[in-house]
Amino acid sequence: ASMKRLGLIEAEIRKLEREYADLEEVWKSEKASVQGAQNIKKALQQANRNLKLLADAGILIGMGTDTASPNDLGRWPGYFEHVEMEMMVQAGLTPMQTIKAATGDAARIMKLNDLGTIAPGKAADLLVLNANPLVNIRNTREINSVWIAGRKL
């Protein structure tokens, strides 16, 4: 049963890779056109379904971003990470799954063992929030303070 599940997951990953390549081509060739926007909307809907499918299958999800790319002046560091987390919840992940994907799971995927969670010996980089993001993921925007290496900024 586990081999069958693994085969299904591998097939889904191959499908995702093809869809990502298709999305990337659509983005490059049609991003300024109405048809391009409609195609991107369809691809985003499929990406949301795929994200939920992978999360439900137990695949470790790590939030990533291309924010602040020198070729894309319309993305600002910090802002779009919040938008991405909101989109992950809209796709069907729980706020906790989303927070883990943005913190500990992302660090684990990248093998950054001193980041991602709060524990003795770790980097102590964290946000203190004024509202609970488990109630509403938009509460990640309610920042009280930022801590880097255990020091309040």
Side-chain angles (χ1 to χ4, degrees):
S2 64
M3 291 303 291
K4 182 178 179 182
R5 183 174 177 202
L6 181 59
L8 292 172
I9 291 170
E10 289 174 341
E12 192 61 35
I13 290 171
R14 285 191 297 278
K15 179 181 172 190
L16 291 174
E17 290 171 341
R18 286 190 305 275
E19 289 171 0
Y20 177 77
D22 292 344
L23 175 59
E24 191 171 44
E25 287 306 310
V26 167
W27 180 254
K28 287 178 183 176
S29 66
E30 301 183 34
K31 71 179 183 179
S33 72
V34 172
Q35 183 62 43
Q38 291 171 347
N39 288 343
I40 290 170
K41 182 178 179 181
K42 288 178 192 173
L44 181 58
Q45 290 168 344
Q46 184 62 51
N48 286 340
R49 288 189 295 270
N50 292 339
L51 176 63
K52 177 70 169 135
L53 178 72
L54 291 170
D56 289 349
I59 304 299
L60 194 62
I61 304 293
M63 188 182 94
T65 182
D66 54 359
T67 295
S69 165
N71 298 324
D72 190 354
L73 301 177
R75 295 180 187 233
W76 307 283
Y79 173 78
F80 281 100
E81 286 76 6
H82 293 284
V83 172
E84 188 170 345
M85 287 190 288
E86 292 162 18
M87 291 175 71
M88 291 171 79
V89 170
Q90 289 169 3
L93 273 67
T94 67
M96 179 58 84
Q97 286 174 303
T98 300
I99 291 166
K100 287 176 64 179
T103 58
D105 290 349
R108 208 157 94 207
I109 289 167
M110 298 299 295
K111 298 183 180 7
L112 300 171
N113 300 326
D114 62 332
L115 300 174
T117 59
I118 301 169
K122 295 214 174 184
D125 297 344
L126 61 110
L127 295 175
V128 176
L129 304 174
N130 290 321
N132 187 347
L134 298 178
V135 173
N136 182 338
I137 197 66
R138 287 185 58 86
N139 287 339
T140 61
R141 297 173 185 240
E142 300 294 324
I143 299 171
N144 176 288
S145 57
V146 177
W147 295 72
I148 304 292
R151 294 192 174 126
K152 186 177 180 181
L153 299 184

